Amino acid sequence: MFIAQELRKKNIAEYLLYMWQVEDTIRAFGCSLTRLRREYISRFDYSKEQLEEETDWYGNLVMMMNQERCREKGHLQINKVVMQQLEELHAQLLASPKFPFYNTVYYKVLPYIVELRNHGANHEENEIETCFNSLYGVMLLRLQKKEITPNTQHAIEAITNFIGILSDYYQEDKAGSLVIDDIKDN
């Protein structure tokens, strides 16, 4: 909870990847708050009050995962909403003539997105979700200490740069300092 709160303020992309990892952690403990508390949360170096808050937070997530039927796969609605916000902002940035740098970075990463979508199981996901799925997949490979090919590394660097720029614009938008001119029909 404490990490999620901090990441949400600073970097929405890191927050979303963290939340996906939290979902997988909950799944790894069988969506059991008892097991999470005993085998995972108890290892945190927190005060008693912080451990209680963390336990409550995980308990709420477990309950939501059960209610939203994403115990085995998929993402919580709270995370889907963030993804949708990022996709909407992405579309607005692309449509605005005020962000040529963003467009340049997007078109540089687009071939990687197309390739990933062609090789992926879900051809219906949006481009931003494709980027996040690739970042999360490589994160998991690194955690497992598996090799990442130079081509994959190159693609991930470009995607990381692109998502980082989108994340920065998201923070600006949430702070109210991003102005995007909508294209108006004449």
Side-chain angles (χ1 to χ4, degrees):
M1 175 184 86
F2 302 107
I3 294 170
Q5 287 173 337
E6 204 57 36
L7 287 174
R8 182 153 189 141
K9 288 182 216 170
K10 292 182 178 179
N11 187 313
I12 199 66
E14 289 180 11
Y15 164 80
L16 194 55
L17 292 169
Y18 176 77
M19 289 303 295
W20 285 7
Q21 187 177 20
V22 166
E23 291 170 339
D24 281 346
T25 299
I26 291 170
R27 289 182 186 109
F29 288 96
C31 293
S32 166
L33 183 58
T34 303
R35 282 192 60 209
L36 276 162
R37 184 184 309 116
R38 184 180 63 237
E39 300 172 35
Y40 184 67
I41 299 169
S42 64
R43 297 185 302 169
F44 297 162
D45 188 24
Y46 291 150
S47 69
K48 183 178 178 183
E49 293 80 23
Q50 288 174 317
L51 285 172
E52 288 174 13
E53 284 183 63
E54 193 80 359
T55 300
D56 287 346
W57 184 69
Y58 272 95
N60 287 331
L61 292 175
V62 168
M63 183 179 64
M64 290 179 348
M65 288 177 74
N66 286 322
Q67 290 173 344
E68 296 176 24
R69 294 179 173 85
C70 58
R71 286 177 57 101
E72 295 182 22
K73 65 178 181 170
H75 300 294
L76 289 166
Q77 191 62 35
I78 57 173
N79 297 329
K80 290 178 183 179
V81 167
V82 171
M83 182 64 69
Q84 182 63 37
Q85 291 170 342
L86 287 167
E87 178 61 26
E88 289 169 3
L89 178 59
H90 166 68
Q92 291 173 336
L93 291 168
L94 285 180
S96 174
K98 290 178 63 177
F99 302 94
F101 177 73
Y102 183 82
N103 275 269
T104 300
V105 173
Y106 166 70
Y107 284 109
K108 181 180 176 185
V109 80
L110 185 58
Y112 299 122
I113 296 170
V114 170
E115 186 175 341
L116 287 164
R117 290 176 87 177
N118 287 338
H119 288 94
N122 186 356
H123 298 285
E124 301 299 315
E125 69 188 14
N126 66 56
E127 294 172 333
I128 301 305
E129 192 168 358
T130 298
C131 291
F132 272 90
N133 281 328
S134 65
L135 292 171
Y136 190 69
V138 168
M139 183 180 84
L140 291 177
L141 289 173
R142 287 183 177 140
L143 287 172
Q144 297 168 11
K145 301 192 185 316
K146 292 189 177 177
E147 183 181 346
I148 299 164
T149 67
N151 287 343
T152 299
Q153 184 60 39
H154 185 70
I156 288 301
E157 287 170 6
I159 290 169
T160 299
N161 182 46
F162 169 64
I163 292 298
I165 293 167
L166 178 60
S167 182
D168 290 344
Y169 281 129
Y170 178 92
Q171 294 307 119
E172 284 183 44
D173 189 43
K174 290 300 173 195
S177 60
L178 183 68
V179 178
I180 302 174
D181 292 334
D182 293 329
I183 297 175
K184 298 186 179 3
D185 295 328
N186 290 332

